[in-house]
Amino acid sequence: MTRIVNFIEKTISLASGMRNADINFDTMTASAVVMVSDVMRNGRPLVGVAFDSIGRYGHGALLQERFIPRLLNAPPSTYANPHGPGICPHRLWSVVMANEKAGGHGERAGAVGLIDAAAWDLQAKIEDKPLWALLNEKFPGASTPNQTAIYASGGHYRPNEGLDGPKQEISRYCQRGFTRFKIKAGGLPIEQDLVRIEMAIDAAGGAENLSLDFNAGLTEANAHDWLNAVKGRQLAWVEEPVDPLNYQLLAELCHAYPGAISTGENLFSFADTRNLLRYGGMRPNKDLLNMDISLSYGLVEYGRILDLLAACGWSRSACIPHAGHLLSAHAAAGLGLGGHETAPDHPIFGQFPEGSSIVDGQLRLGDIPGTGLEHTAGLKSIFSSILS
Amino acid sequence: MTRIVNFIEKTISLASGMRNADINFDTMTASAVVMVSDVMRNGRPLVGVAFDSIGRYGHGALLQERFIPRLLNAPPSTYANPHGPGICPHRLWSVVMANEKAGGHGERAGAVGLIDAAAWDLQAKIEDKPLWALLNEKFPGASTPNQTAIYASGGHYRPNEGLDGPKQEISRYCQRGFTRFKIKAGGLPIEQDLVRIEMAIDAAGGAENLSLDFNAGLTEANAHDWLNAVKGRQLAWVEEPVDPLNYQLLAELCHAYPGAISTGENLFSFADTRNLLRYGGMRPNKDLLNMDISLSYGLVEYGRILDLLAACGWSRSACIPHAGHLLSAHAAAGLGLGGHETAPDHPIFGQFPEGSSIVDGQLRLGDIPGTGLEHTAGLKSIFSSILS
């Protein structure tokens, strides 16, 4: 019976001079975690690894205080895989969520998401297959389970950068195989920001290749004005226009805006997603859903969300998970979602392990067992130092 | 200009053999915090203190990792009271919430709630008045600002206790000046639990003196059955029948159940409360709201919630905050809310400082400056050890 013998967290700084319409990232952090099993492979213990999403800070403190002790104190029989070797991520999820009250889906959803992701990575390695393949077995439905559409996300507001910053960024991404792009919006007065956006549309080769991310920065006072200002442009989508919990305002926007609206990255649970579907006015064959798998209790909860979506008439292709971490890439491919976001220049989130490729806007994942996180340029040394 | 020179957190075990319909409390913890200022009084620095709510674990890790550094790094000018000596809890709140994204109102709401509570305690001491008096000045509206209705909360499921446990507990509380009571429900099959409830009604002197707390334990499968089973009894209210985010099911229950329904203790923000009011089917002149002030970003956010309630036609008397911590008692009295919950036998939460009294179901608070937390039997030694 596989036993989890240790669980290590290391908090990594993601400090940068970036800003979106909501926050700046000067003190941003993220957690790298390693789940150590007692399974030996090539003379070393097999480990599951995971790396945080971005935007809600690391989860080390909460992991140390509450979830790691709960995991390490659990008898291996409580999370054993009943169908074969290794562990069952679903049973392990229930172990770490014991005695957690309903509601309040905030930081703990991100802490549990890291444990969940490490568990899936470990189990994929135990079964000696890439995560996308394991996910395709567990949640069948993808037509090309090692492949997904990918778009380049960027266009933050940076100090000392002109209005043509996003345009230049997009031009660089074009050289690297990307065909669709997203930039931040709403951080400047409308007229000024529109100049920036028009230049970006130009670089993207048309509005249908560009999306705008408002990072929940609009309010009752200006959301309608903003969407009216861009609605003639036939953008790919506009993302998170308003506060993630303001379903009423979102529903008004969905009613008024003819194009696609994308949201959900700051809703961290099945229960919150259900409310978005019930009250947000989202249109199943038009709008997009960005729940962040890592920040929302991981793949076990995401499976529940996919069942909910199916029951409500939504296709998996409406899902483009937030943040562009490698976990999402495997999920987008292996679960047959609508695509994957990536920040190509980011030293951590923009990196893929060897064997992956981005060609004509399609990401193809390689065959390294697990997620391959510890084989990416940005995380290799971080995980090596944890494991040494 | 008052400077916060230190902020100390100590995690306290609240372990007990209790269980409600949702979780058990064997590993429950809570945070005691001390905000140390540079204001000297009687040769010692003046401090603000706060103690956590119960049910969502302590908040020490998150405080240490994110919020205490942010607070201690802030220049005193950013949280100075613009109208007099001391600090401004509203400005201080904005300081600690800098660069926090929208949504995801979970653990951080409890961590910030502790900082907020300590800030109010400190400022009340700087102004040399009890917290209820300061709150009555800042948010006027209470008719008897040092007094509030109080009820005794208990009736948990305990191992080795018979169905008459709650009845015996209520009888004890009657001796101590209580006239209204709440017990846990939904943790046994209906028929069996009803026996327990009938005995409790008897001890309470009538169903109108008793409420039932389901702790979010009911679902689509049994919530209607349960409320039908008790709807003939004219109970004071039934509390949190279902998942805090399942507004749709709650609205069905509000539509079908003729008596009062009370909920909100697991919604931790203005934005979530707004959704409860928009979608939960709650009836302004009948139902009750239990948002937990400490777990919901503290009194600053609660002020916003009170404004929202007023705008939506709700009276403050519909608010009975969750958990029965002393912060809530001051808020219930000083803000003129509907009443206060207390667990009379609890060694920490059931205690009031000298000068307080409970007579005929009314709590009268004394005149000790601040909340008086460090003068209660349960917390005196804990705060002494932190401060020594």
Side-chain angles (χ1 to χ4, degrees):
Chain A
M1 206 174 279
T2 302
R3 178 187 287 269
I4 310 302
V5 295
N6 200 3
F7 194 97
I8 308 161
E9 187 274 347
K10 189 173 174 185
T11 301
I12 309 296
S13 169
L14 297 180
S16 80
M18 297 190 313
R19 179 175 76 82
N20 63 33
D22 193 19
I23 65 165
N24 79 49
F25 288 77
D26 291 346
T27 58
M28 189 50 62
T29 57
S31 293
V33 303
V34 175
M35 176 183 276
V36 185
S37 78
D38 65 352
V39 178
M40 297 301 285
R41 186 97 33 115
N42 303 322
R44 293 173 61 96
L46 213 49
V47 302
V49 302
F51 193 78
D52 230 328
S53 183
I54 184 167
R56 311 284 315 198
Y57 301 94
H59 296 86
L62 209 53
L63 283 166
Q64 301 293 356
E65 189 177 57
R66 207 150 94 217
F67 295 102
I68 296 175
R70 211 176 275 166
L71 172 63
L72 297 182
N73 285 332
S77 61
T78 59
Y79 51 75
N81 179 3
H83 308 299
I87 60 172
C88 169
H90 288 83
R91 299 186 67 210
L92 187 137
W93 193 96
S94 299
V95 165
V96 296
M97 280 296 285
N99 293 316
E100 291 290 321
K101 290 182 86 170
H105 304 297
E107 279 76 8
R108 92 176 163 194
V112 172
L114 284 163
I115 294 177
D116 170 281
W120 284 96
D121 184 70
L122 173 63
Q123 184 59 20
K125 288 169 180 162
I126 288 174
E127 299 187 22
D128 202 27
K129 55 186 72 150
L131 181 59
W132 59 259
L134 179 59
L135 293 178
N136 184 45
E137 282 170 26
K138 297 290 181 190
F139 308 90
S143 53
T144 53
N146 66 339
Q147 201 172 315
T148 188
I150 189 167
Y151 75 89
S153 180
H156 288 77
Y157 298 95
R158 293 183 174 82
N160 312 317
E161 193 179 73
L163 293 176
D164 64 343
K167 172 192 163 165
Q168 295 185 12
E169 202 177 331
I170 288 172
S171 302
R172 286 200 308 277
Y173 297 155
C174 286
Q175 311 298 318
R176 291 157 67 176
F178 291 97
T179 58
R180 301 185 89 185
F181 313 90
K182 185 176 77 185
I183 65 169
K184 302 301 175 187
L188 292 172
I190 295 184
E191 288 311 314
Q192 208 177 337
D193 224 3
L194 282 178
V195 176
R196 202 173 139 270
I197 292 165
E198 288 300 333
M199 286 194 277
I201 287 175
D202 230 39
E208 69 277 16
N209 299 325
L210 187 73
S211 306
L212 300 182
D213 187 355
F214 289 94
N215 289 97
L218 308 183
T219 66
E220 276 83 356
N222 65 352
H224 287 285
D225 289 347
W226 249 112
L227 265 60
N228 279 332
V230 299
K231 82 174 171 192
R233 301 304 277 120
Q234 289 169 308
L235 293 155
W237 69 80
V238 296
E239 188 163 310
E240 208 186 28
V242 299
D243 184 287
L245 291 165
N246 195 343
Y247 305 129
Q248 183 173 299
L249 179 54
L250 176 66
E252 289 174 19
L253 297 176
C254 286
H255 186 72
Y257 182 73
I261 293 181
S262 190
T263 197
E265 72 181 70
N266 286 301
L267 300 176
F268 302 133
S269 68
F270 169 92
D272 286 293
T273 302
R274 189 172 56 184
N275 284 337
L276 174 66
L277 300 186
R278 283 177 175 169
Y279 308 117
M282 304 281 284
R283 300 151 293 182
N285 294 309
K286 175 171 289 193
D287 294 318
L288 300 165
L289 300 166
N290 308 125
M291 285 72 70
D292 184 314
I293 302 172
S294 181
L295 291 176
S296 307
Y297 298 106
L299 286 158
V300 168
E301 181 91 345
Y302 203 69
R304 296 181 192 124
I305 289 174
L306 291 181
D307 289 344
L308 170 73
L309 293 180
C312 296
W314 285 75
S315 151
R316 288 188 187 181
S317 64
C319 296
I320 305 184
H322 171 250
H325 36 67
L326 199 49
L327 178 75
S328 282
H330 280 272
L335 302 174
L337 307 182
H340 182 61
E341 166 176 20
T342 193
D345 283 344
H346 197 284
I348 291 177
F349 293 104
Q351 312 302 315
F352 293 90
E354 227 173 289
S356 307
S357 64
I358 296 169
V359 179
D360 286 341
Q362 289 287 313
L363 167 68
R364 200 187 169 96
L365 291 165
D367 291 322
I368 297 176
T371 53
L373 265 176
E374 67 274 57
H375 302 287
T376 63
L379 291 173
K380 198 177 286 191
S381 64
I382 289 170
F383 282 113
S384 293
S385 81
I386 296 177
L387 289 168
S388 66
Chain B
M1 206 174 277
T2 303
R3 178 187 287 271
I4 310 302
V5 295
N6 199 4
F7 194 97
I8 308 160
E9 187 274 347
K10 189 172 176 187
T11 301
I12 308 296
S13 169
L14 297 181
S16 80
M18 298 190 312
R19 179 175 76 82
N20 62 34
D22 194 18
I23 64 166
N24 79 49
F25 287 78
D26 291 345
T27 58
M28 189 51 61
T29 57
S31 293
V33 303
V34 175
M35 176 183 277
V36 185
S37 78
D38 65 353
V39 178
M40 297 301 285
R41 186 100 29 119
N42 303 322
R44 294 174 61 97
L46 212 50
V47 302
V49 301
F51 193 78
D52 230 329
S53 183
I54 184 167
R56 312 283 315 197
Y57 301 94
H59 296 85
L62 209 52
L63 283 166
Q64 301 293 356
E65 189 177 58
R66 207 149 95 217
F67 295 101
I68 296 175
R70 211 176 275 166
L71 172 63
L72 297 182
N73 285 331
S77 61
T78 59
Y79 51 75
N81 179 3
H83 307 299
I87 61 172
C88 169
H90 288 82
R91 298 186 68 211
L92 187 137
W93 193 95
S94 299
V95 165
V96 297
M97 281 296 286
N99 293 315
E100 291 291 321
K101 291 183 86 170
H105 305 297
E107 279 76 8
R108 91 177 163 193
V112 172
L114 284 164
I115 294 178
D116 170 280
W120 283 96
D121 184 70
L122 173 62
Q123 184 59 20
K125 288 169 180 162
I126 288 174
E127 299 188 22
D128 202 27
K129 55 186 71 150
L131 181 59
W132 59 259
L134 178 60
L135 293 178
N136 184 45
E137 282 169 28
K138 296 290 181 191
F139 308 90
S143 53
T144 53
N146 66 339
Q147 202 172 314
T148 188
I150 189 167
Y151 75 88
S153 180
H156 289 77
Y157 298 94
R158 293 183 174 82
N160 312 317
E161 193 179 73
L163 294 176
D164 64 344
K167 172 191 162 165
Q168 295 184 12
E169 202 177 332
I170 288 172
S171 303
R172 286 199 307 277
Y173 296 155
C174 286
Q175 311 298 318
R176 292 158 65 175
F178 291 97
T179 58
R180 301 185 88 185
F181 313 90
K182 186 176 76 186
I183 65 170
K184 302 300 176 187
L188 292 172
I190 296 185
E191 288 311 316
Q192 208 176 338
D193 224 2
L194 282 178
V195 176
R196 202 172 140 270
I197 291 165
E198 288 299 334
M199 286 194 276
I201 287 175
D202 229 39
E208 69 276 16
N209 299 324
L210 186 74
S211 306
L212 301 182
D213 187 355
F214 289 95
N215 289 98
L218 307 182
T219 66
E220 277 83 357
N222 64 352
H224 287 285
D225 289 347
W226 249 111
L227 265 59
N228 279 332
V230 299
K231 82 174 171 193
R233 301 303 278 121
Q234 288 169 309
L235 292 156
W237 69 80
V238 296
E239 188 163 310
E240 208 186 28
V242 299
D243 184 288
L245 291 164
N246 195 343
Y247 305 129
Q248 183 172 298
L249 180 54
L250 176 66
E252 289 174 18
L253 297 176
C254 286
H255 186 73
Y257 182 73
I261 293 181
S262 191
T263 196
E265 71 181 71
N266 286 301
L267 300 176
F268 301 132
S269 68
F270 169 92
D272 285 293
T273 302
R274 190 173 56 185
N275 283 337
L276 174 65
L277 300 186
R278 283 177 175 169
Y279 308 117
M282 304 281 284
R283 300 151 293 182
N285 294 308
K286 176 170 288 192
D287 294 319
L288 299 165
L289 301 166
N290 308 125
M291 285 72 71
D292 184 314
I293 302 172
S294 182
L295 291 176
S296 308
Y297 298 106
L299 286 158
V300 168
E301 181 91 346
Y302 203 68
R304 296 182 192 122
I305 289 174
L306 291 181
D307 288 346
L308 170 73
L309 293 179
C312 296
W314 285 75
S315 151
R316 289 189 187 179
S317 64
C319 296
I320 305 184
H322 170 250
H325 36 68
L326 199 49
L327 179 75
S328 282
H330 280 272
L335 302 173
L337 307 182
H340 182 61
E341 166 176 21
T342 193
D345 283 344
H346 197 284
I348 291 177
F349 293 104
Q351 312 302 315
F352 293 90
E354 226 174 290
S356 307
S357 64
I358 296 169
V359 179
D360 286 342
Q362 289 287 313
L363 166 68
R364 201 187 169 96
L365 291 165
D367 292 322
I368 297 176
T371 53
L373 266 176
E374 67 274 56
H375 302 288
T376 62
L379 291 173
K380 198 177 286 191
S381 64
I382 289 170
F383 282 114
S384 293
S385 81
I386 296 177
L387 289 167
S388 66

